[in-house]
C-alpha cells in the first residue's frame, strides 16, 4: 500500500493514540468496516447514519488480500490505498485504517468502540464480531438503508457490459 498524505488515514498505532485523545475529550467512538470496493450510495448512507450515533467515526477498510479472501478472485477492483483515500475524504469520517484480517475483531479489541455499526445486510444476531464488541463493553447497531445497493452487483453489471 502506498503512503497517503491524507491525515485521516492512519496506522493502527496512530488510531489507538487518536482514540485515547478522543476519549480524554469525552467523545464516543463508532467503528464501521467493510471492503468498500466501489463506493456507492448505500455506503455513503451507512456511514452517515453511523456518524449520527455521535462522537467520532472510524472506518476500517479490508486490505486487498482480505477482500480477495472474502469476495474471490478479481476483487478488489480498486486498491486499498485508493479506497481508504476516498473514504477519508467524506465529511462524516474521522479516521480510516486499513486492516489485513477478514474481520475486525482485533481492531475492536484495540479501540473498544462504544458502537460497532453494521449495514442492514446483518441483524444483531448475525454480526460476526458481536461477541467481541460486547466483551469490550460496546454495542452493535444496525444502520443504513435497505441492502439494495451492492458493489458486487455493480461490478458484475459493468463486467457484463464490457
Amino acid at each position: 500500500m502506498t503512503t497517503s498524505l491524507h491525515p485521516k488515514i492512519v496506522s493502527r498505532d496512530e488510531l489507538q493514540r487518536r482514540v485515547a485523545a478522543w476519549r480524554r475529550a469525552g467523545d464516543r467512538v463508532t467503528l464501521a468496516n467493510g471492503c468498500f470496493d466501489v463506493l456507492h450510495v448505500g455506503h455513503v448512507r451507512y456511514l452517515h447514519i453511523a456518524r449520527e450515533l455521535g462522537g467520532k467515526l472510524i472506518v476500517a477498510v479490508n486490505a486487498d488480500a482480505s477482500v480477495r479472501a472474502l469476495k474471490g478472485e478479481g476483487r478488489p477492483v480498486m486498491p486499498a490505498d485508493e479506497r481508504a483515500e476516498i473514504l477519508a475524504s467524506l465529511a462524516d469520517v474521522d479516521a480510516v485504517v486499513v486492516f489485513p484480517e477478514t474481520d475486525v475483531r482485533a481492531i475492536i479489541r484495540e479501540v473498544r468502540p462504544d458502537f460497532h455499526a453494521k449495514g442492514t445486510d446483518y441483524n444483531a444476531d448475525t454480526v460476526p464480531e458481536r461477541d467481541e464488541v460486547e466483551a469490550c463493553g460496546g454495542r452493535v447497531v444496525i444502520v443504513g438503508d435497505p441492502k439494495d445497493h451492492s458493489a458486487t452487483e455493480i461490478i458484475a453489471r459493468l463486467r457484463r457490459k464490457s
Side-chain angles (χ1 to χ4, degrees):
M1 184 168 104
T2 60
T3 303
S4 170
L5 297 177
H6 201 292
K8 290 184 188 177
I9 302 172
V10 296
S11 68
R12 294 196 29 190
D13 288 340
E14 175 59 23
L15 180 62
Q16 289 181 51
R17 286 189 287 275
R18 287 190 189 190
V19 168
W22 294 337
R23 291 203 188 284
R24 283 192 301 274
D27 288 316
R28 290 184 298 181
V29 174
T30 298
L31 173 67
N33 71 285
C35 297
F36 302 99
D37 198 6
V38 174
L39 192 66
H40 56 71
V41 70
H43 291 136
V44 172
R45 292 172 182 165
Y46 159 61
L47 295 174
H48 180 71
I49 296 169
R51 174 54 179 238
E52 289 180 338
L53 293 170
K56 302 294 185 176
L57 177 60
I58 300 166
V59 180
V61 179
N62 290 82
D64 294 347
S66 64
V67 173
R68 249 184 316 285
L70 292 166
K71 304 287 185 177
E73 279 305 311
R75 300 285 297 276
V77 296
M78 188 180 309
D81 56 342
E82 292 178 17
R83 291 181 280 126
E85 191 167 342
I86 291 167
L87 289 162
S89 72
L90 299 176
D92 288 321
V93 175
D94 293 294
V96 176
V97 63
V98 176
F99 68 102
E101 301 91 348
T102 55
D103 68 44
V104 289
R105 283 184 173 88
I107 292 177
I108 290 166
R109 287 190 297 274
E110 292 165 10
V111 302
R112 305 179 68 83
D114 298 284
F115 303 107
H116 182 204
K118 294 296 277 187
T120 57
D121 46 335
Y122 293 93
N123 65 53
D125 296 325
T126 63
V127 172
E129 306 90 357
R130 177 181 161 202
D131 56 339
E132 200 70 50
V133 174
E134 291 173 353
C136 291
R139 186 165 60 99
V140 171
V141 182
I142 306 300
V143 300
D145 60 353
K147 181 73 175 179
D148 54 6
H149 311 283
S150 164
T152 299
E153 291 171 12
I154 292 168
I155 292 165
R157 190 171 55 240
L158 291 172
R159 286 181 173 157
R160 282 191 302 269
K161 287 183 178 182
S162 50

